Amino acid sequence: MRIGHGYDVHRLVPGRRLILGGVDIPWEMGLLGHSDADVLVHAVMDAILGAAGEGDIGRLFPDSDPAYAGADSLKLLEQVVERVRGKGWQVENVDATMIAQRPKLMPHIPQMIKNLEMILGEGRVNVKATTEEGLGFSGSGEGMAAHAVCLLSPAQ
Ligand code: MG
């Protein structure tokens, strides 16, 4: 078994879609980034890559590369899973936490889990959400953060 951790932050700005775990959430602001800025999927990818000792998404999908402009992060996750499978690993489970003051994410979590489990396998994903009680950049609504941990086991 191998364990990995991922952490990501994106800034909230007007005029961008808010996409978390592949769910397009109606909101007055969205996350700024080169790709679709799906902070949750980014943290999950970094956890998987970390567990496999394969670096991070910045190395794999550089934001200087126009190929990844507006990229669907779930498609990048598929590539990450293929890559670690090529190294002999499969995802045992992923546990992730979204940190956002608003909007309420709870109603969207089941669909986020479905989207991630389409790629990582049924029953292998847990997603939670918390606020930071109005403190810091998440509390002020300047941005959102996500943490994830992943366990890999030898591929069957
Ligand atoms: Mg990111």
Side-chain angles (χ1 to χ4, degrees):
M1 294 277 196
R2 301 267 302 212
I3 192 170
H5 166 258
Y7 175 65
D8 196 26
V9 171
H10 281 262
R11 184 182 291 275
L12 273 166
V13 293
R16 288 268 305 183
R17 289 156 72 199
L18 177 60
I19 298 171
L20 297 174
V23 181
D24 205 330
I25 297 171
W27 184 237
E28 63 206 32
M29 312 263 271
L31 294 173
L32 184 63
H34 184 65
S35 67
D36 64 5
D38 191 328
V39 67
L40 176 61
V41 176
H42 291 184
V44 168
M45 288 193 281
D46 269 350
I48 296 171
L49 289 168
E54 287 292 305
D56 61 38
I57 54 172
R59 200 167 90 191
L60 221 58
F61 312 114
D63 61 9
S64 54
D65 188 336
Y68 304 117
D72 176 348
S73 292
L74 288 175
K75 294 269 180 267
L76 303 182
L77 176 61
E78 282 174 9
Q79 289 183 44
V80 164
V81 168
E82 261 172 49
R83 187 183 178 91
V84 301
R85 184 164 276 275
K87 301 280 176 183
W89 297 105
Q90 67 178 22
V91 172
E92 193 61 32
N93 77 306
V94 163
D95 182 29
T97 304
M98 267 303 311
I99 300 169
Q101 191 65 35
R102 293 185 306 155
K104 281 251 172 287
L105 299 181
M106 187 98 91
H108 304 288
I109 286 179
Q111 187 61 50
M112 293 180 198
I113 291 174
K114 256 182 214 166
N115 292 344
L116 291 166
E117 287 191 341
M118 286 281 284
I119 299 164
L120 302 177
E122 214 182 318
R124 296 189 185 276
V125 178
N126 190 70
V127 176
K128 313 179 290 300
T130 186
T131 72
E132 289 185 310
E133 303 287 343
L135 297 167
F137 69 81
S138 79
S140 66
E142 280 176 275
M144 291 182 176
H147 290 267
V149 287
C150 168
L151 202 63
L152 296 178
S153 57
Q156 307 282 332

